[in-house]
Coordinates of all heavy atoms in Angstrom, one line a residue:
V5 N -54.9 9.6 -11.7 CA -54.0 8.7 -11.1 C -53.9 7.4 -11.9 O -52.9 6.9 -12.2 CB -54.4 8.4 -9.6 CG1 -53.4 7.3 -9.0 CG2 -54.3 9.7 -8.8
A6 N -55.2 6.9 -12.2 CA -55.3 5.6 -13.0 C -54.7 5.9 -14.5 O -54.1 4.9 -15.0 CB -56.7 5.2 -13.1
E7 N -54.9 7.0 -15.0 CA -54.5 7.3 -16.3 C -53.0 7.5 -16.5 O -52.4 7.2 -17.6 CB -55.1 8.6 -16.9 CG -54.7 9.0 -18.3 CD -55.2 10.4 -18.7 OE1 -54.9 11.4 -17.9 OE2 -55.9 10.4 -19.6
H8 N -52.3 8.0 -15.5 CA -50.9 8.5 -15.6 C -49.9 7.4 -16.1 O -49.2 7.8 -17.0 CB -50.4 9.0 -14.3 CG -49.3 10.0 -14.4 ND1 -49.5 11.3 -14.9 CD2 -48.0 9.9 -14.1 CE1 -48.4 12.0 -14.9 NE2 -47.5 11.2 -14.5
P9 N -50.0 6.2 -15.8 CA -49.1 5.2 -16.3 C -49.2 5.1 -17.9 O -48.2 4.8 -18.5 CB -49.4 3.9 -15.6 CG -50.0 4.3 -14.3 CD -50.8 5.6 -14.7
M10 N -50.4 5.4 -18.4 CA -50.7 5.3 -19.8 C -50.0 6.5 -20.5 O -49.5 6.4 -21.7 CB -52.2 5.3 -20.1 CG -52.9 4.1 -19.6 SD -52.4 2.5 -20.3 CE -51.3 1.9 -19.0
L11 N -49.9 7.6 -19.8 CA -49.2 8.8 -20.4 C -47.7 8.5 -20.5 O -47.1 8.8 -21.4 CB -49.5 10.1 -19.6 CG -51.0 10.5 -19.6 CD1 -51.1 11.7 -18.7 CD2 -51.4 10.9 -21.0
V12 N -47.2 8.0 -19.4 CA -45.7 7.6 -19.4 C -45.5 6.6 -20.5 O -44.5 6.7 -21.2 CB -45.4 7.0 -18.0 CG1 -44.0 6.6 -18.0 CG2 -45.6 8.1 -16.9
E13 N -46.3 5.7 -20.6 CA -46.2 4.6 -21.7 C -46.3 5.2 -23.1 O -45.5 4.9 -24.0 CB -47.2 3.5 -21.5 CG -47.2 2.4 -22.6 CD -46.0 1.5 -22.4 OE1 -45.3 1.6 -21.3 OE2 -45.7 0.7 -23.3
L14 N -47.2 6.2 -23.2 CA -47.4 6.8 -24.5 C -46.1 7.6 -24.9 O -45.6 7.6 -26.1 CB -48.6 7.8 -24.4 CG -48.8 8.7 -25.7 CD1 -49.2 7.8 -26.8 CD2 -50.0 9.7 -25.4
G15 N -45.5 8.4 -24.0 CA -44.3 9.1 -24.2 C -43.2 8.1 -24.6 O -42.4 8.4 -25.5
K16 N -43.0 7.0 -23.9 CA -41.9 6.1 -24.1 C -42.1 5.4 -25.5 O -41.1 5.2 -26.3 CB -41.9 5.1 -23.1 CG -41.4 5.5 -21.7 CD -41.4 4.4 -20.7 CE -40.9 4.8 -19.3 NZ -40.9 3.7 -18.4
R17 N -43.3 5.0 -25.9 CA -43.5 4.3 -27.1 C -43.5 5.1 -28.4 O -43.1 4.6 -29.4 CB -44.8 3.5 -27.0 CG -44.8 2.3 -26.1 CD -46.2 1.7 -25.9 NE -46.6 1.2 -27.2 CZ -47.8 0.5 -27.4 NH1 -48.5 0.2 -26.3 NH2 -48.1 0.0 -28.6
T18 N -43.8 6.4 -28.2 CA -44.0 7.2 -29.4 C -42.9 8.3 -29.5 O -42.6 8.7 -30.6 CB -45.3 7.9 -29.5 OG1 -45.4 8.8 -28.4 CG2 -46.4 6.9 -29.4
G19 N -42.4 8.7 -28.4 CA -41.3 9.8 -28.4 C -41.9 11.2 -28.8 O -41.2 12.1 -28.9
V20 N -43.3 11.3 -28.8 CA -43.8 12.6 -29.1 C -43.8 13.5 -27.8 O -43.9 12.9 -26.7 CB -45.3 12.4 -29.6 CG1 -45.4 11.6 -30.9 CG2 -46.2 11.8 -28.5
P21 N -43.7 14.7 -27.9 CA -43.6 15.6 -26.8 C -45.0 15.6 -26.1 O -46.1 15.7 -26.8 CB -43.3 17.0 -27.4 CG -42.8 16.7 -28.7 CD -43.4 15.5 -29.2
L22 N -45.1 15.6 -24.8 CA -46.3 15.7 -24.0 C -46.2 17.0 -23.2 O -45.2 17.3 -22.6 CB -46.4 14.5 -23.1 CG -47.1 13.2 -23.6 CD1 -46.3 12.5 -24.6 CD2 -47.3 12.2 -22.4
V23 N -47.4 17.6 -23.3 CA -47.5 19.0 -22.6 C -48.6 18.8 -21.5 O -49.7 18.3 -21.9 CB -47.8 20.1 -23.6 CG1 -48.2 21.4 -22.8 CG2 -46.7 20.3 -24.6
G24 N -48.3 19.1 -20.3 CA -49.3 18.9 -19.2 C -49.9 20.3 -18.8 O -49.2 21.2 -18.6
V25 N -51.2 20.3 -18.6 CA -51.8 21.5 -18.0 C -52.5 21.1 -16.7 O -53.4 20.3 -16.6 CB -52.9 22.0 -19.0 CG1 -53.5 23.3 -18.4 CG2 -52.4 22.3 -20.4
N26 N -51.9 21.6 -15.6 CA -52.4 21.3 -14.3 C -53.5 22.2 -13.9 O -53.3 23.4 -13.9 CB -51.2 21.5 -13.3 CG -51.6 21.1 -11.8 OD1 -51.5 21.9 -11.0 ND2 -52.0 19.9 -11.7
Y27 N -54.7 21.6 -13.7 CA -56.0 22.4 -13.6 C -56.4 22.7 -12.2 O -56.6 21.8 -11.3 CB -57.0 21.6 -14.3 CG -58.4 22.2 -14.2 CD1 -58.7 23.4 -15.1 CD2 -59.4 21.8 -13.3 CE1 -60.0 23.9 -15.0 CE2 -60.6 22.3 -13.3 CZ -61.0 23.4 -14.1 OH -62.2 24.0 -14.1
K28 N -56.4 23.9 -11.8 CA -56.9 24.4 -10.5 C -56.4 23.6 -9.3 O -57.2 23.0 -8.6 CB -58.5 24.4 -10.5 CG -59.0 25.5 -11.4 CD -60.5 25.6 -11.3 CE -61.1 26.7 -12.1 NZ -62.6 26.8 -11.9
D29 N -55.1 23.6 -9.2 CA -54.4 22.7 -8.2 C -53.5 23.4 -7.3 O -53.2 24.6 -7.6 CB -53.6 21.6 -9.0 CG -53.5 20.3 -8.2 OD1 -53.8 20.2 -7.1 OD2 -53.1 19.3 -8.8
Q30 N -53.1 22.8 -6.3 CA -52.1 23.4 -5.4 C -50.7 23.0 -5.9 O -50.6 21.8 -6.2 CB -52.2 22.9 -3.9 CG -53.5 23.3 -3.3 CD -53.6 24.9 -3.1 OE1 -52.6 25.5 -2.8 NE2 -54.8 25.4 -3.2

């Protein structure tokens, strides 16, 4: 939760594709 804004920022600033792997979740 604390990290997520940094991922959003990373995508906006760099334009690189982000791939998410959701681990053992509902």
Side-chain angles (χ1 to χ4, degrees):
V5 176
E7 174 190 63
H8 205 72
M10 297 298 101
L11 295 176
V12 175
E13 180 72 10
L14 177 63
K16 287 180 179 179
R17 288 178 59 177
T18 65
V20 300
L22 272 65
V23 175
V25 183
N26 182 238
Y27 178 77
K28 291 187 177 182
D29 208 348
Q30 297 294 325

